[in-house]
Amino acid sequence: MRKDIEIPKVTGVEIAVVLETNEIDNKEDWNVYILNKKDVDLEMVVIVSQGFSDTKTTSVFRRKIDKLPANSYQKFELMQPELFDLDNRFQVTFFEDKRLHDKTFIFQAETIQEGFLRDIEFLGKRGIVCK
């Protein structure tokens, strides 16, 4: 019976951590974006994030995006630099063509740093992408 269960592979969805200037106070902020590089809309997107290590665990943070249009992106979280010493997990669940999809993205500890920033053409910004 288990062989009858098909788990679709998630492609075309990415998470990016971007360093950008906050227009209100002109300071640098680390923001997290979800990128939908697919040609179809994603519906009922649920993102669950948490930082963790062997000795520490942060609170679980949940958010929902009703619809993420095809070939678009959305900022969904401000990330504090104190979290960069932890592994940061983003579990993304969504419906695509009425089928449930799920993927976990992990930014390992110490990988979110200015030295690792790269141009993200899709966003037109510099950041770190987890595919």
Side-chain angles (χ1 to χ4, degrees), residues 56-108:
K56 293 181 187 175
T57 302
T58 66
S59 297
V60 175
F61 189 50
R62 295 177 181 88
R63 83 247 351 112
K64 179 182 83 152
I65 302 168
D66 291 323
K67 184 176 184 179
L68 186 61
N71 297 301
S72 71
Y73 56 86
Q74 183 168 332
K75 178 171 39 175
F76 65 88
E77 184 174 318
L78 171 68
M79 195 168 197
Q80 300 299 324
E82 295 81 22
L83 298 174
F84 300 164
D85 291 337
L86 305 173
D87 290 333
N88 288 278
R89 175 178 46 227
F90 298 89
Q91 294 173 287
V92 178
T93 305
F94 59 90
F95 282 95
E96 175 187 338
D97 296 328
K98 298 182 182 180
R99 287 188 67 198
L100 186 66
H101 292 69
D102 180 73
K103 185 166 182 176
T104 300
F105 301 88
I106 296 180
F107 289 88
Q108 294 182 334

